[in-house]
Amino acid sequence: GNLEDYEETVKKAKEAWKVWADIPAPKRGEIVRQIGDALRQKIKVLGSLVSLEMGKIFVEGVGEVQEYVDVCDYAVGLSRMIGGPVLPSERPGHALIEQWNPVGLVGIITAFNFPVAVYGWNSAIAMICGNACLWKGAPTTSLVSVAVTKIIAKVLEDNKLPGAICSLVCGGADIGTAMARDERIDLLSFTGSTKVGKQVALMVQERFGRSLLELGGNNAIIVFEDADLNLVVPSALFAAVGTAGQRCTTARRLFLHESIHDEVVAKLAKAYAQVRIGDPWDSDTLYGPLHTKEAVKMFLDAVEQAKKQGGSVVCGGKVINRLGNYVEPTIVTGLPHNAAIVHTETFAPILYVLKFKEEEEVFAWNNEVKHGLSSSIFTKDLGRIFRWLGPKGSDCGIVNVNIPTSGAEIGGAFGGEKHTGGGRESGSDSWKLYMRRSTCTINYSKDLPLAQGIKFQ
């Protein structure tokens, strides 16, 4: 789509919102329930399309559509629960309440790596809150964007509602920039790199708009000497290698207590050697290609930098000689915790394995990177677990114990701190981001008492 298409679409979405906003929230929930059912019926073909276009393995593609289905189910219940409190007024004959209303039009810019789920998190919640949606997916996954939008549009139109309630404009940076600068976009949800997210945030802030940012992650797993290694190895493998290292929650740093370092590295290298690499459509495959040729170049550059900064490649580090953007899943050891490459998020399957001695230092090392998305520790020490969850523990938005950094559930708010952007999507009270709050005072008496006991007469 070009800017003329964008202009026409925004106008239609704003008109459609007038219809949608008048529908009671539980009825909006019923429409979202039907969208979830429509996605269920197409889950395998959509998962297959995700796999084809993005490159993740088929089961992950299906799992991503399942996330959208799950969040639709969640949103249906939420449509009967959103609301604010009735507060005690200090003035007699007065009621003090909080009223929540939709913001209006929610712009949703999603990334290539989760071309269905991230839109689902945003749109399902935004819709039950009473908002219309305008989606711009990644240019490299536009088939998925079109397919999902067609499924949603049919549900809306079958219910005699305008399909423009969930609008789509495929396009590049020109469309994204237009959305960021457009005062008609009442909330802009952006998922992508920290670099682009910063530009988006500044453009939105310049017009005093609202933004929801889901940006990068440089996530760590910390393994203490008392950890169950039967949990550690598969967790680290999945977190580092799943989706070929192209999740914002991918584990990029693995801190191992010095007493177990060599043992875990040996076990992990053995596990890496057994990863089945191949066609993402093949049910036997665990690991597919990177998304683009640019990603392959970034991978090679990062491996080279890691070597120059003193790292040793334990396994991987090379491009695989086959059709497609395939690279070897890679483990690098021997780097210091503050090496420049360790502090860089490379969107590729490279895991930096680092030694530590003490709890206090490794908690600080977890927090010293610019991002603050996901983090995990493996330990059986109850005190340590609660220190990790506490004020001097992990500074991330997702803080895990004895599970990997990736694989978040839809019931909890998803997002992170610092250069991850501070946004929250999906569960918990994330719905509040898609609404505006009014504090309302209603005088049902015949008197006019002022707050704080002020007399003005």
Side-chain angles (χ1 to χ4, degrees):
N2 58 31
L3 290 172
E4 289 171 9
D5 298 320
Y6 168 77
E7 186 62 30
E8 183 185 356
T9 306
V10 171
K11 285 176 181 172
K12 287 188 175 175
K14 293 295 270 189
E15 284 301 311
W17 175 75
K18 293 175 184 176
V19 176
W20 188 241
D22 281 340
I23 294 170
K27 295 280 176 66
R28 296 194 295 253
E30 165 58 18
I31 304 300
V32 171
R33 185 194 67 75
Q34 291 177 35
I35 291 169
D37 281 349
L39 291 164
R40 272 186 184 93
Q41 290 165 21
K42 295 275 200 275
I43 194 164
K44 288 193 175 174
V45 71
L46 270 179
S48 190
L49 186 56
V50 170
S51 185
L52 170 73
E53 205 171 23
M54 185 271 154
K56 63 176 62 175
I57 61 174
F58 174 67
V59 291
E60 284 191 338
V62 171
E64 185 179 337
V65 183
Q66 184 65 50
E67 274 195 65
Y68 194 166
V69 171
D70 291 346
V71 86
C72 283
D73 287 348
Y74 176 83
V76 175
L78 191 60
S79 71
R80 292 182 179 271
M81 295 166 64
I82 54 174
V86 178
L87 302 161
S89 174
E90 68 184 63
R91 290 172 281 186
H94 284 57
L96 191 59
I97 66 170
E98 257 184 23
Q99 174 74 24
W100 292 80
N101 285 302
V103 293
L105 180 57
V106 175
I108 304 167
I109 299 176
T110 60
F112 74 86
N113 61 330
F114 279 87
V116 175
V118 173
Y119 176 67
W121 294 347
N122 281 275
S123 64
I125 306 297
M127 285 179 76
I128 63 102
C129 290
N131 301 295
C133 299
L134 174 62
W135 183 17
K136 187 194 93 70
T140 51
T141 55
S142 52
L143 291 178
V144 171
S145 303
V146 170
V148 169
T149 300
K150 281 184 175 288
I151 290 168
I152 297 167
K154 184 173 188 311
V155 172
L156 290 166
E157 287 160 7
D158 285 350
N159 283 275
K160 310 260 185 308
L161 291 164
I165 290 165
C166 288
S167 295
L168 170 72
V169 180
C170 294
D174 57 337
I175 303 297
T177 300
M179 291 173 74
R181 290 188 170 148
D182 195 337
E183 292 195 350
R184 295 169 297 179
I185 305 282
D186 300 288
L187 167 67
L188 184 63
S189 174
F190 174 84
T191 301
S193 70
T194 296
K195 181 183 174 185
V196 178
K198 185 176 183 181
Q199 295 168 355
V200 168
L202 290 170
M203 284 187 273
V204 174
Q205 183 56 44
E206 197 170 43
R207 61 176 174 87
F208 289 106
R210 290 171 62 170
S211 61
L212 193 170
L213 302 173
E214 295 285 358
L215 311 177
N218 191 347
N219 314 297
I221 294 175
I222 302 170
V223 184
F224 287 90
E225 63 273 25
D226 65 338
D228 182 345
L229 299 189
N230 291 324
L231 295 177
V232 169
V233 173
S235 292
L237 181 73
F238 172 68
V241 171
T243 327
Q246 298 168 111
R247 291 182 177 225
C248 50
T249 52
T250 291
R252 310 205 180 276
R253 299 175 294 151
L254 177 61
F255 292 106
L256 300 174
H257 189 268
E258 59 183 8
S259 65
I260 56 167
H261 176 275
D262 293 353
E263 182 187 357
V264 174
V265 169
K267 286 178 184 288
L268 205 50
K270 189 176 177 184
Y272 266 53
Q274 295 170 42
V275 172
R276 298 185 298 278
I277 300 168
D279 183 338
W281 271 358
D282 186 335
S283 61
D284 201 42
T285 299
L286 288 179
Y287 174 98
L290 291 178
H291 188 56
T292 61
K293 289 190 172 10
E294 289 77 16
V296 175
K297 184 179 182 303
M298 281 194 306
F299 166 83
L300 290 172
D301 288 348
V303 171
E304 197 54 41
Q305 285 299 314
K307 288 177 183 173
K308 282 181 181 173
Q309 290 169 31
S312 302
V313 176
V314 173
C315 62
K318 300 188 187 72
V319 172
I320 297 170
N321 185 21
R322 61 174 291 161
L323 191 64
N325 305 315
Y326 285 86
V327 300
E328 294 174 342
T330 301
I331 297 173
V332 177
T333 60
L335 285 164
H337 66 94
N338 56 355
I341 194 63
V342 173
H343 279 232
T344 304
E345 183 199 23
T346 304
F347 223 57
I350 304 171
L351 181 65
Y352 303 111
V353 182
L354 312 150
K355 282 184 186 177
F356 76 92
K357 290 182 182 180
E358 304 293 337
E359 175 190 303
E360 191 174 340
E361 70 176 0
V362 79
F363 283 7
W365 293 351
N366 175 77
N367 296 347
E368 72 183 355
V369 297
K370 290 186 182 294
H371 298 96
L373 179 53
S374 188
S375 54
S376 299
I377 62 165
F378 284 79
T379 184
K380 297 188 186 104
D381 185 324
L382 199 56
R384 180 180 289 137
I385 288 169
F386 281 94
R387 288 191 293 275
W388 171 243
L389 304 180
K392 294 181 181 177
S394 173
D395 65 357
C396 295
I398 298 168
V399 184
N400 293 335
V401 178
N402 295 330
I403 62 164
T405 52
S406 53
E409 296 182 29
I410 61 102
F414 180 91
E417 303 297 326
K418 302 186 300 190
H419 285 217
T420 300
R424 292 297 186 277
E425 292 170 344
S426 193
S428 186
D429 64 348
S430 299
W431 61 270
K432 291 181 177 179
L433 295 167
Y434 303 90
M435 304 196 86
R436 57 181 178 81
R437 178 200 320 233
S438 304
T439 302
C440 310
T441 310
I442 301 141
N443 180 3
Y444 57 89
S445 74
K446 294 183 178 177
D447 299 315
L448 192 65
L450 300 178
Q452 292 83 47
I454 293 171
K455 303 291 183 190
F456 194 77
Q457 56 193 20

